[in-house]
Amino acid sequence: MKPGGAELKWIDYSSPETLAEALSLLNEHQKDAGILAGGTDLIVKMRADRINPGQIIDIKSIPELNQVNINSNNDLTIGSAIPCYKIYNNDDIMNLRPELKDSASIIGGTQIQGRASFGGNICNAAPSADSVPLLISLGATCNVQSVNGERTIALEDLFSGPGQTVLEPNELLISITIPKKSDLSGANYIRFIPRNEMDIAVVGTGVSVTLSSNKKNFESVRVSLASVGPTPIFVDGIDKEVSGQEINDESIRVVSNMAKNASKPISDMRGTAEFRQHLCEVLTRRALITAIERAKEA
Amino acid sequence: MTQSKTYVRCTINGEDTEFLCEPRQSLLECLRDVLRLTGTKEGCNDGNCGACTIMLDDRIVTSCLVLGVEVNGKTITTIEGMASPEGLHPVQQAFLEEAALQCGICTPGFLIASKALLDTNPNPTEEEIRFWLANNLCRCTGYDKIVRAVVKAGEKIREG
């Protein structure tokens, strides 16, 4: 056996240039189809014999999946096939959502970022996906289409288990929309890894905060966690506790403890459940403080 | 569907290149086994080690995680395209002078990745160099010599 697994079995490959063509092909092949954007998860899984698609559908030539759009309301829509480096090298995205660099620049290394997309990171549905917590905290929604029509799914509702989403076998993720940014808001994603780079999050925390007009109180706080449950976790109910509260050590501690209590980690080779719960508190506090600083500067 | 090979046409190291491959074959397999461009090395074959790094259009990628059929119409640079008839590229020369290689398996990947960095940023900080090269593993040098070589190559390139 070759390093990294066996040679791949016979597959058919298609690179449709229109969305209609891609959706029709996906509808025809359903679960036998493998969607190829950057391939940094798909090809690895195929080589390790974890999946065996007979039909590869390369989605990189489809215009809708490669567009960045900022509408008049400042909602940002990012095509699902756009690789990470095109996100943090895009001035329009960075002006509107500089925090996206936090996650886009730490998914794999430089070479992986040359291929891997947010759409792929999302659909791969790893509980540790680095792009997801920040996007959930920003209120991102997934624009999904099939031959039967289209629907929008809140990102926190997309995941049903490790590697599992609620997408039907004939549905394709077209793009991700991040709603309008409030002027007094900021966000941050940080993770804990034992190495400096190129590692899978032991815990990851995405935090988005909106401040009151005097910049002294919380208006809204959204927190999402990676690697502490079977899916990425959205920490529900934080606004009920801290909306309107003054920003101080106590209210920050309320948020970070809620994140800790929302986590449902397991113990594995990357860390014990207890350690991960502790990390949830620490990382949420740190990410929240950075998000507040960014909101004040914004 | 009948199982037939796919025709691919692309530009490799400045030359118009055609080849036939099976859709399952990685670009790395196509480069090495079909085109006999064996300068690009196979290490982990799952995107972690960076030994198979090449330039695909304007960006470095691990060629083990690209299918050969994906590169139709694309522009590729491999290690074979780095030196010119006049001599080694400054990055190659610096790796030699700083002894930034021992066994050599990781070296083509490091050279391609380092050149890509210096092409866009000829004066990177040590942190920028280490961050950029995080996707390339070397088990011999301990990285310090590689970082020193990239710094030196940057100096040479800036001097012109």
Side-chain angles (χ1 to χ4, degrees):
Chain A
M1 193 155 139
K2 284 198 162 193
E7 287 181 0
L8 299 180
K9 298 188 181 74
W10 182 273
I11 49 175
D12 290 317
Y13 170 88
S14 180
S15 180
E17 292 187 1
T18 67
L19 182 55
E21 204 186 328
L23 293 177
S24 158
L25 203 58
L26 182 56
N27 196 54
E28 183 188 333
H29 291 276
Q30 304 262 336
K31 283 182 177 168
D32 192 42
I35 306 292
L36 174 64
T40 56
D41 285 309
L42 182 83
I43 296 174
V44 172
K45 282 178 164 176
M46 285 164 61
R47 200 166 276 141
D49 224 12
R50 286 164 57 197
I51 53 169
N52 288 293
Q55 173 70 51
I56 297 298
I57 304 174
D58 185 345
I59 57 171
K60 287 191 291 296
S61 302
I62 305 168
E64 289 88 338
L65 277 61
N66 286 288
Q67 285 164 0
V68 172
N69 181 46
I70 299 170
N71 68 13
S72 55
N73 192 36
N74 268 352
D75 301 329
L76 168 64
T77 298
I78 298 174
S80 60
I82 295 175
C84 288
Y85 83 97
K86 286 194 177 169
I87 291 174
Y88 57 71
N89 283 341
N90 181 310
D91 291 342
D92 293 334
I93 296 179
M94 285 299 104
N95 282 334
L96 190 64
R97 291 287 183 191
E99 59 269 21
L100 292 181
K101 189 173 184 180
D102 296 347
S103 46
S105 64
I106 61 170
I107 294 173
T110 315
Q111 287 88 323
I112 298 300
Q113 289 156 25
R115 295 268 291 171
S117 62
F118 274 12
N121 197 230
I122 290 168
C123 290
N124 187 54
S128 57
D130 280 313
S131 75
V132 171
L134 182 64
L135 289 171
I136 288 179
S137 79
L138 294 170
T141 53
C142 301
N143 306 305
V144 172
Q145 279 192 43
S146 74
V147 289
N148 303 322
E150 54 188 290
R151 60 174 176 148
T152 303
I153 306 169
L155 182 55
E156 61 262 38
D157 297 331
L158 188 79
F159 307 101
S160 52
Q164 305 291 324
T165 68
V166 300
L167 295 181
E168 299 295 332
N170 69 345
E171 283 185 318
L172 186 64
L173 175 61
I174 309 299
S175 59
I176 305 120
T177 297
I178 304 171
K180 176 187 183 306
K181 182 178 181 169
S182 153
D183 290 339
L184 290 166
S185 66
N188 181 219
Y189 174 74
I190 52 174
R191 66 178 180 187
F192 177 83
I193 53 174
R195 304 197 294 188
N196 290 327
E197 289 309 324
M198 289 282 294
D199 209 343
I200 294 169
V202 179
V203 175
T205 307
V207 176
S208 158
V209 61
T210 307
L211 309 183
S212 64
S213 51
N214 67 2
K215 300 187 180 181
K216 289 200 162 76
N217 298 67
F218 286 120
E219 192 169 294
S220 174
V221 180
R222 284 174 63 93
V223 176
S224 177
L225 306 167
S227 292
V228 288
T231 66
I233 290 175
F234 171 57
V235 184
D236 213 2
I238 292 180
D239 274 351
K240 234 184 292 174
E241 297 295 326
V242 300
S243 182
Q245 299 278 316
E246 189 188 335
I247 298 168
N248 53 34
D249 289 352
E250 180 52 32
S251 57
I252 288 171
R253 199 173 303 120
V254 168
V255 174
S256 56
N257 277 325
M258 286 187 78
K260 179 180 178 177
N261 293 332
S263 68
K264 304 182 209 76
I266 55 168
S267 296
D268 65 11
M269 64 178 184
R270 281 182 238 290
T272 64
E274 190 188 5
F275 178 48
R276 284 189 154 116
Q277 285 197 314
H278 172 69
L279 283 174
C280 283
E281 194 278 317
V282 174
L283 295 184
T284 301
R285 178 158 38 87
R286 289 180 187 170
L288 179 56
I289 289 168
T290 303
I292 292 166
E293 282 167 7
R294 287 176 176 179
K296 285 179 176 170
E297 287 161 11
Chain B
M1 200 179 281
T2 51
Q3 299 191 345
S4 58
K5 289 192 175 182
T6 303
Y7 168 81
V8 178
R9 182 173 179 180
C10 59
T11 303
I12 300 181
N13 300 328
E15 284 183 30
D16 189 12
T17 305
E18 302 167 298
F19 62 92
L20 290 172
C21 70
E22 294 177 21
R24 64 159 193 86
Q25 285 181 299
S26 69
L27 177 58
L28 174 62
E29 286 174 70
C30 295
L31 290 171
R32 290 183 56 85
D33 302 343
V34 179
L35 295 165
R36 299 291 169 195
L37 290 168
T38 55
T40 306
K41 301 305 179 194
E42 179 181 310
C44 68
N45 218 17
D46 68 6
N48 274 296
C49 80
C52 66
T53 299
I54 56 141
M55 283 289 276
L56 179 59
D57 287 341
D58 59 346
R59 200 69 188 177
I60 53 170
V61 299
T62 45
S63 58
C64 68
L65 295 187
V66 179
L67 297 177
V69 287
E70 283 184 71
V71 303
N72 199 32
K74 305 275 188 198
T75 300
I76 290 165
T77 307
T78 68
I79 188 64
E80 286 89 347
M82 188 176 277
S84 65
E86 288 75 47
L88 294 176
H89 186 276
V91 180
Q92 292 172 307
Q93 189 61 40
F95 267 60
L96 274 182
E97 290 170 9
E98 293 298 313
L101 67 152
Q102 287 178 35
C103 86
I105 288 288
C106 73
T107 310
F110 266 103
L111 289 168
I112 292 284
S114 302
K115 177 177 178 296
L117 171 63
L118 296 174
D119 282 347
T120 53
N121 178 7
N123 193 12
T125 63
E126 179 177 339
E127 191 185 346
E128 285 169 332
I129 294 169
R130 288 183 183 272
F131 196 83
W132 182 270
L133 296 177
N135 210 155
N136 291 79
L137 301 185
C138 171
R139 301 291 79 163
C140 300
T141 62
Y143 302 103
D144 276 355
K145 292 175 173 187
I146 291 173
V147 173
R148 281 203 290 271
V150 177
V151 170
K152 186 172 185 177
E155 287 166 5
K156 281 273 155 56
I157 289 169
R158 294 200 302 281
E159 285 164 12

